[in-house]
């Protein structure tokens, strides 16, 4: 199983980024796809998830600014992040859950002027 994230980087406050995660080695459509983040000194937190039936849930801190989506044909999950704030700075991890969780290696997002 391999999850490969991309799309992180440095962005100014108010800017946007789109994270991507491509999965291999799993039956992608049956998995819940999640994005987590971990800031220095903080615990890893769930940011957003999308179920196999396309139901979505978001952390309160990102509701209205972030959008999670998935493309089963491409075995990919995305996180569109708009109106980024300094407190969004973290390493973002893709995770796929179906009775067990597989993790990506993470991608750094830094929001700074």
């Amino acid at each position: 199983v391999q999850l490969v994230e991309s799309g992180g980087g440095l962005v100014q406050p108010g800017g946007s980024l789109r994270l991507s995660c491509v999965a291999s080695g799993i039956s992608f459509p049956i998995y819940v796809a999640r994005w987590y983040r971990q800031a220095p000194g903080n615990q890893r937190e769930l940011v957003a998830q999308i179920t196999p039936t396309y139901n979505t849930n978001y952390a309160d801190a990102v509701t209205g600014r972030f959008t999670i989506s998935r493309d089963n044909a491409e075995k990919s999950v995305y996180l569109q992040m708009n109106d980024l704030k300094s407190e969004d700075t973290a390493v973002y991890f893709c995770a796929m859950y179906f009775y067990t969780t597989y993790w990506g290696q993470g991608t750094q997002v830094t929001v700074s002027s």
Side-chain angles (χ1 to χ4, degrees):
V1 178
Q2 191 172 23
L3 304 179
V4 180
E5 299 106 329
S6 61
L10 173 64
V11 64
Q12 292 186 342
S16 298
L17 283 174
R18 186 181 190 235
L19 305 183
S20 300
C21 173
V22 180
S24 59
I26 59 172
S27 296
F28 185 86
I30 68 173
Y31 279 73
V32 175
R34 294 171 172 162
W35 286 98
Y36 289 80
R37 67 186 180 186
Q38 187 167 20
N42 290 359
Q43 290 187 331
R44 193 170 296 189
E45 63 174 352
L46 178 62
V47 175
Q49 75 169 27
I50 183 166
T51 70
T53 55
Y54 295 88
N55 290 321
T56 58
N57 296 94
Y58 298 91
D60 289 345
V62 307
T63 297
R65 299 188 297 121
F66 290 12
T67 302
I68 190 171
S69 61
R70 65 191 294 162
D71 184 333
N72 288 344
E74 297 295 326
K75 295 188 175 182
S76 296
V77 57
Y78 308 99
L79 187 68
Q80 177 66 42
M81 305 185 294
N82 298 329
D83 190 23
L84 283 159
K85 307 176 186 297
S86 57
E87 52 263 42
D88 296 317
T89 294
V91 178
Y92 284 71
F93 297 90
C94 170
M96 300 298 296
Y97 170 75
F98 182 73
Y99 293 104
T100 190
T101 300
Y102 296 106
W103 294 91
Q105 82 288 351
T107 184
Q108 176 71 47
V109 172
T110 303
V111 184
S112 175
S113 54

